[in-house]
């Protein structure tokens, strides 16, 4: 008691200690108030979510493969219905926790079909038709403050790179839209830094803005058909984006418009979405004149749905559904701390001559997602189902035409959606036939073989074929066994003995035709040390590890031997003590 008292007195005497305690306390309160609590609030914690959605399997649950070097998302279907389209899903996940950013194709149950990891960021991955042929299209490039600097790639059905499209002039291609028209042209978005007087918005006189531009480019010739600049047609005060101290430097321009989609109607006029204007604009395809504006501060339409047809905000992906109907993804908010709202897929019928807008359909996520950036809405051909990609939130949902949720898939845990660790700018569904010009990949492990073929959509079964053992220079193979293809990678258990002679695996389509085959495989039965070391070592490093283990083993053996020898040579009794004598002999 006395000792404790003494210690306390000494501590209290030291003013430094008191000051540090106080400082630690204040730091704890401040970080709780401004760091920990706000971030906990951002989590979408729900009672009764699955382990997946709480994040117990990680922030980006992934699948690994034996035959493929990369990981793909383990997609979690929260809801599934057989009425969902069996077309493929196209996403391009990336983000802080995604190791391999890649455009990727998944089947209707979320299994990987194809992926191509990129060094730069992929966006807007989907199937488009160019001059009657289907292509995979995606943007790739560098990313800065909500838009991109890059170009657009087109891959054909063999996944060969066929076209790279860049804007005309000394401009970078932006990630937001690359829409191919029926005439073989591409509609593309571009962000260009431009000097602008910002005094009316409360900014610099000699300031800078991001001008939002779109171009129509002929893909084959690279020539420019049309170009349109927001700054020449729309005043800055139509924007909802606050200046927030921007626009003083060239490196930090004011993004007043934020164009993010372009569509073209059969009469040749353009439809653009400008996120920061909360508006959809129709633009004359010849003169560039604005024909009408739906939504935002310059809205021209009367709202026949009590405000719900024109109150969309921070939206994406405005497309013509028919002559008089537009679909879009209404984000409703710009960032997490905006008042609570719910994002929706939205279909709006517009009467252009009379300037009247009416809601045709609304599509909400079953978990009331609010995605503060990115996202898209797609009418699925055939079924008339509606497909929504939730952009900033790693989820996609398929709805029946009347707005009922049929399928809902997550490719990241929903509790963490608002943090945007895993995003896919768009998610779409399309039919696709992929015939890669590679060979299937196979790996033999003991008596099982794993086989996959990145991007091959037509394979339904794998056939094991064994060498007939006659001529090694002109090998003939006999069919042994046919196994149904399962997901991305199929594990096949080989019949007894097959692993030790030559065999190969042949890919078969639905008509039993051969699409491709692996190289000849098989492992010798005779065991030898060199092969053993080789099979467990790759390169110098692993060989070093094996050698180290052998040396450690030798040292251990040596140690054991030494101990045994020392022990054996030690006299069993100390001099002057008791002495063991042979039984029967009596010491003198
Ligand atoms: C924007 O400024 C113009 C004048 O430059 C003015 O006529 C218009 O009313 C303003 N619009 C808004 C939404 O403040
Ligand atoms: C395609 O070209 C035709 C003929 O020039 C034109 O009438 C039509 O509007 C164009 N369509 C698109 C989507 O550009």
């Amino acid at each position: 008691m006395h000792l404790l008292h003494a210690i306390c007195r000494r501590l209290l005497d030291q003013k430094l200690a008191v000051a540090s305690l106080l400082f630690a306390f204040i730091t704890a309160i401040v970080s709780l108030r401004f760091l920990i609590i706000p971030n906990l609030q951002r989590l979408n914690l729900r009672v009764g979510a699955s382990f997946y959605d709480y994040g117990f399997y990680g922030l980006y649950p992934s699948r690994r493969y034996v035959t493929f070097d990369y990981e793909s998302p383990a997609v979690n279907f929260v809801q599934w219905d057989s009425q969902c389209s069996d077309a493929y899903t196209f996403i391009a996940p990336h983000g802080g926790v995604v190791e391999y950013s890649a455009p990727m194709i998944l089947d209707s149950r979320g299994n990987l079909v194809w992926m191509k990891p990129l060094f730069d960021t992929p966006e807007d991955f989907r199937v488009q038709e160019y001059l009657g042929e289907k292509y995979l299209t995606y943007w790739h490039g560098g990313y800065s403050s909500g838009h991109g600097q890059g170009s657009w790639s087109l891959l054909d059905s063999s996944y060969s790179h066929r076209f790279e499209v860049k804007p005309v002039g000394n401009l970078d291609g932006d990630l937001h839209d690359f829409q191919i028209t029926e005439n073989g042209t591409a509609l593309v978005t571009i962000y260009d830094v431009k000097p602008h007087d910002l005094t009316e918005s409360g900014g610099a006189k000699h300031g800078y803005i991001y001008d939002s531009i779109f171009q129509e480019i002929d893909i084959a010739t690279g020539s420019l058909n049309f170009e349109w600049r927001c700054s020449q047609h729309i005043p800055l005060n139509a924007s909802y984006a606050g200046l927030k101290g921007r626009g003083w430097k060239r490196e930090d321009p004011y993004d007043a418009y934020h164009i993010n989609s372009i569509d073209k109607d059969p009469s040749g006029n353009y439809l653009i979405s400008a996120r920061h204007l909360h508006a959809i604009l129709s633009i004359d395809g010849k003169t560039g004149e604005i024909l009408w504006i739906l939504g935002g501060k310059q809205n021209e339409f009367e709202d026949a749905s009590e405000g719900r047809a024109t109150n969309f905000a921070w939206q994406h992906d405005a497309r013509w559904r028919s002559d008089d109907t537009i679909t879009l993804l209404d984000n409703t908010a710009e960032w997490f701390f905006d008042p609570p709202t719910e994002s929706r897929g939205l279909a709006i019928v517009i009467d252009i001559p009379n300037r009247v807008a009416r809601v045709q359909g609304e599509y909400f996520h079953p978990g009331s997602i609010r995605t503060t950036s990115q996202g898209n809405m797609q009418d699925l051909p055939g079924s008339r189902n509606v497909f929504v990609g939730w952009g900033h939130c790693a989820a996609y949902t398929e709805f029946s035409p009347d707005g009922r949720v049929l399928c809902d898939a997550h490719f990241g845990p929903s509790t963490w959606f608002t943090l945007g660790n895993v995003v896919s700018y768009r998610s779409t569904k399309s039919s696709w036939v992929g015939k890669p010009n590679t060979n299937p990949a196979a790996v033999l492990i003991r008596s099982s073989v794993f086989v996959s073929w990145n991007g091959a959509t037509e394979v339904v079964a794998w056939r094991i074929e064994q060498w007939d053992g006659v001529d090694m220079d002109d090998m003939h193979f006999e069919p042994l066994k046919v196994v149904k293809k399962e997901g991305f990678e199929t594990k096949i258990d080989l019949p007894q003995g097959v692993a030790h002679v030559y065999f190969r695996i042949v890919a078969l389509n639905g008509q039993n035709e051969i699409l491709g085959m692996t190289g000849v495989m098989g492992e010798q039965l005779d065991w030898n040390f060199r092969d053993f070391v080789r099979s467990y070592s790759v390169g110098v490093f692993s060989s070093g590890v094996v050698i180290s283990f052998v040396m450690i083993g030798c040292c251990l053996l040596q140690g054991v031997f030494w101990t045994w020898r020392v022990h054996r040579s030690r006299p069993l009794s100390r001099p002057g003590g008791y002495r063991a004598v042979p039984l029967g002999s009596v010491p003198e």
Side-chain angles (χ1 to χ4, degrees), residues 200 235 237-238 297:
E200 267 188 38
N237 64 2
K297 294 180 187 172

Side-chain angles (χ1 to χ4, degrees), residues 181-183 185 216 264-268:
T181 71
E182 62 193 10
N183 292 351
T185 60
E216 178 167 0
K264 201 174 179 186
D265 65 28
S267 61

Side-chain angles (χ1 to χ4, degrees), residues 156-172:
D156 64 18
S157 62
S158 74
Y159 304 96
S160 303
H161 183 266
R162 290 283 298 280
F163 300 95
E164 191 71 16
V165 180
K166 293 190 169 82
V168 177
N170 191 17
L171 297 163
D172 286 313

Side-chain angles (χ1 to χ4, degrees), residues 208-512:
Y208 295 92
I209 59 162
Y210 272 127
D211 201 357
S212 279
I213 307 176
F214 79 83
Q215 289 186 343
E216 178 167 0
I217 303 166
D218 190 301
I219 294 178
T221 64
S223 63
L224 182 65
N225 288 8
F226 193 81
E227 181 179 284
W228 196 84
R229 285 179 171 263
C230 276
S231 67
Q232 291 172 353
H233 301 272
I234 301 164
L236 291 185
N237 64 2
S239 178
Y240 287 86
L243 197 58
K244 295 179 189 144
R246 291 179 185 270
W248 292 84
K249 288 185 294 185
R250 210 194 135 73
E251 294 72 37
D252 188 27
Y254 172 44
D255 186 5
Y257 312 111
H258 203 91
I259 189 170
N260 58 21
S261 74
I262 322 141
D263 205 5
K264 201 174 179 186
D265 65 28
S267 61
N269 297 327
Y270 300 97
L271 184 79
I272 68 166
S273 158
R275 169 174 160 100
H276 291 182
L277 302 179
H278 300 183
I280 311 295
L281 292 79
S282 173
I283 287 147
D284 189 294
K286 289 192 180 65
T287 64
E289 172 201 354
I290 296 177
L291 298 173
W292 46 260
I293 299 178
L294 172 69
K297 294 180 187 172
Q298 300 172 297
N299 175 48
E300 296 170 15
F301 285 77
E302 184 194 321
D303 196 319
S305 300
E306 289 146 4
R308 296 197 67 80
T310 53
N311 70 346
F312 51 86
W314 313 105
Q315 79 286 345
H316 284 85
D317 199 39
R319 307 283 173 202
W320 283 113
R321 170 181 267 185
S322 65
D323 288 350
D324 64 352
T325 308
I326 294 168
T327 61
L328 57 93
L329 191 278
D330 177 16
N331 298 71
T332 68
E334 185 189 18
W335 70 317
F336 177 76
F337 297 101
D338 284 345
T341 47
E342 204 177 327
S343 299
R344 56 180 173 160
L346 179 61
I348 310 164
V349 185
I350 51 171
D351 173 352
I352 298 168
N354 296 312
R355 299 288 196 271
V356 179
R358 181 172 55 77
V359 170
Q360 188 186 56
E362 290 177 297
Y363 306 87
F364 295 97
H365 186 264
S368 307
I369 278 182
R370 181 177 64 178
T371 180
T372 48
S373 73
Q374 311 163 75
N376 67 299
M377 168 171 165
Q378 179 195 13
D379 280 332
L380 296 183
S383 65
R384 291 186 51 247
N385 285 351
V386 167
F387 193 68
V388 174
W390 302 99
H392 185 74
C393 301
Y396 52 80
T397 309
E398 187 165 339
F399 298 85
S400 66
D402 60 5
R404 210 158 31 87
V405 174
L406 297 175
C407 292
D408 181 40
H410 299 175
F411 48 101
S414 62
T415 304
W416 302 82
F417 272 173
T418 48
L419 301 186
N421 295 310
V422 184
V423 304
S424 178
Y425 171 52
R426 282 180 177 147
S427 305
T428 58
K429 244 177 155 177
S430 289
S431 56
W432 174 248
V433 175
K435 296 178 172 173
N437 53 15
T438 54
N439 291 329
V443 170
L444 176 63
I445 295 181
R446 288 178 289 278
S447 62
S448 297
V449 65
F450 294 80
V451 62
S452 70
W453 199 1
N454 191 19
T457 58
E458 303 306 282
V459 180
V460 302
W462 302 105
R463 186 167 72 206
I464 318 295
E465 297 184 348
Q466 190 175 22
W467 178 43
D468 63 5
V470 179
D471 186 350
M472 227 186 249
D473 292 323
D474 181 21
M475 293 177 101
H476 286 274
F477 288 82
E478 286 160 358
L480 266 189
K481 180 177 173 182
V482 175
V483 177
K484 204 169 149 284
K485 178 178 177 273
E486 303 270 5
F488 182 76
E489 184 175 77
T490 310
K491 182 186 180 205
I492 302 168
D493 293 322
L494 293 173
Q496 190 83 37
V498 172
H500 307 302
V501 288
Y502 294 123
F503 70 95
R504 67 184 184 191
I505 301 168
V506 170
L508 302 174
N509 68 9
Q511 286 76 50
N512 237 23

Side-chain angles (χ1 to χ4, degrees), residues 134-148:
K134 280 188 173 178
Y135 288 84
L136 299 177
T137 69
Y138 59 89
W139 175 91
H140 63 105
Y143 191 81
S144 67
S145 59
H147 68 277

